[in-house]
Amino acid sequence: FGRVFSGTIATGQRVRIQGPHYKVGSKEDLNVKNIQRTVLMMGRTTEQIADVPCGNTVALVGVDQFLLKSGTLTTIEDAHNIADMKYSVSPVVKVAVKVKDGKELPKLVEGLKKLSKSDPLVVCTTEENGEHVIAGCGELHVEICLKDLRDEYAGCDFIVSDPVVSYRETVGELSGQTCLAKSPNKHNRIYLTAEPMSDELCAAIEDGKAGPKADAKERAKLLRDKYEWDDNAARKIWCWGPETDGANVVVDQTQGVQYLLEIKEHVNSAFQWTTKEGP
């Protein structure tokens, strides 16, 4: 279900289905398929029509299996994606769901996919330990999602864990003290301080301009010129976190320390763990 922004969409038309991760010129998150039917939705009734001109909303049959939440449909080869909607709330209340009868697990997985498509705010994930987690923006929202999942999408009975609220905490100012950690043999010491980064820089990291996949020289130039970073610091970012691409960074500020790179992997993995766990 979506809006036609330009041109006319018709039954049988061959379109490019571009998912949210599609980049112009690449084949990632791109499918080329035919529109099976164009349908006009009026309240509870649906009416099949031949084509729909721009400015109208329309329901399309035959494209839903290629899109999860949002996407762009176009016939132009070099078209960019239409921007996703940004919401003022984020899904912070999480519950884990588990089927009572193991045979009904495929039903639950399919139901979670449908739930994720139907609600733009809900986030359905599978944790490392295999449990299915539903995240919503409040207890009431999660309750409604669970009711829809049980009655409509999955059609099976499942056990729900207690709601868990994930905290959103960050660094507000430069830490008042330098933290010190010693190695077991007391021969090595590591000193750490935390300080906040600007919202613009965090956004640039999340967009990829200053992220780990950006070209190192261009990234250093951007950090130096736009965000007034020291040239040495801009070149010596050790890692990003959480998940190796988040908007938190470890920067090596040392000078002339021998064998420092031997602890780099340990520091990086500890940082990933810390940023993923939260407070």
Side-chain angles (χ1 to χ4, degrees):
F1 185 76
R3 181 180 291 277
V4 184
F5 282 97
S6 171
T8 302
I9 193 153
T11 304
Q13 193 173 21
R14 196 160 180 77
V15 294
R16 293 161 61 87
I17 304 164
Q18 298 172 185
H21 303 298
Y22 172 76
K23 296 274 189 299
V24 177
S26 77
K27 292 269 172 46
E28 187 195 357
D29 217 357
L30 171 70
N31 292 282
V32 181
K33 299 290 170 191
N34 288 357
I35 303 290
Q36 290 174 16
R37 277 186 311 171
T38 45
V39 181
L40 190 65
M41 296 179 82
M42 297 291 289
R44 292 185 171 197
T45 59
T46 58
E47 193 171 325
Q48 194 172 331
I49 46 179
D51 54 32
V52 177
C54 67
N56 297 293
T57 53
V58 63
L60 302 173
V61 178
V63 298
D64 65 319
Q65 70 237 47
F66 305 108
L67 294 172
L68 184 59
K69 282 192 187 297
S70 62
T72 303
L73 271 65
T74 178
T75 52
I76 303 165
E77 293 271 322
D78 54 357
H80 288 253
N81 273 6
I82 294 168
D84 282 350
M85 284 178 72
K86 293 279 187 283
Y87 298 98
S88 56
V89 288
S90 57
V92 291
V93 180
K94 297 179 181 177
V95 293
V97 291
K98 190 168 77 175
V99 284
K100 284 184 177 175
D101 184 359
K103 285 187 280 215
E104 293 185 318
L105 184 62
K107 277 189 189 175
L108 178 69
V109 173
E110 200 55 40
L112 286 168
K113 280 184 190 170
K114 288 177 183 170
L115 175 68
S116 193
K117 282 183 183 179
S118 71
D119 190 327
L121 266 178
V122 78
V123 176
C124 301
T125 51
T126 306
E127 293 291 302
E128 288 167 7
N129 58 6
E131 65 180 14
H132 299 283
V133 175
I134 298 171
C137 55
E139 284 201 36
L140 181 64
H141 180 221
V142 171
E143 213 174 290
I144 292 163
C145 291
L146 290 170
K147 184 180 182 301
D148 288 348
L149 182 65
R150 186 175 278 124
D151 299 347
E152 288 180 47
Y153 302 128
C156 65
D157 212 9
F158 49 79
I159 305 159
V160 182
S161 70
D162 291 333
V164 177
V165 178
S166 43
Y167 289 97
R168 292 284 185 271
E169 291 194 351
T170 187
V171 179
E173 56 185 38
L174 179 64
S175 45
Q177 62 185 52
T178 302
C179 294
L180 163 68
K182 294 180 187 176
S183 64
N185 64 5
K186 306 285 190 294
H187 284 267
N188 306 291
R189 298 178 175 201
I190 183 164
Y191 297 91
L192 296 168
T193 56
E195 62 179 287
M197 295 193 293
S198 67
D199 292 345
E200 293 83 19
L201 177 53
C202 292
I205 290 173
E206 285 169 351
D207 291 345
K209 294 174 195 159
K213 293 188 176 80
D215 179 70
K217 286 183 181 174
E218 285 179 18
R219 184 176 60 226
K221 187 173 185 296
L222 178 75
L223 291 170
R224 206 170 50 237
D225 300 347
K226 192 171 178 184
Y227 301 106
E228 298 175 355
W229 274 41
D230 174 54
D231 185 45
N232 193 35
R235 291 171 185 275
K236 291 169 84 173
I237 296 175
W238 270 13
C239 74
W240 287 255
E243 308 287 356
T244 68
D245 62 358
N248 303 290
V249 292
V250 175
V251 181
D252 168 23
Q253 296 277 32
T254 60
Q255 287 176 336
V257 179
Q258 282 187 316
Y259 310 119
L260 186 67
L261 292 178
E262 289 187 18
I263 65 157
K264 183 175 176 178
E265 284 306 312
H266 300 288
V267 172
N268 288 359
S269 61
F271 182 70
Q272 299 299 342
W273 191 25
T274 310
T275 48
K276 195 165 187 286
E277 288 296 314

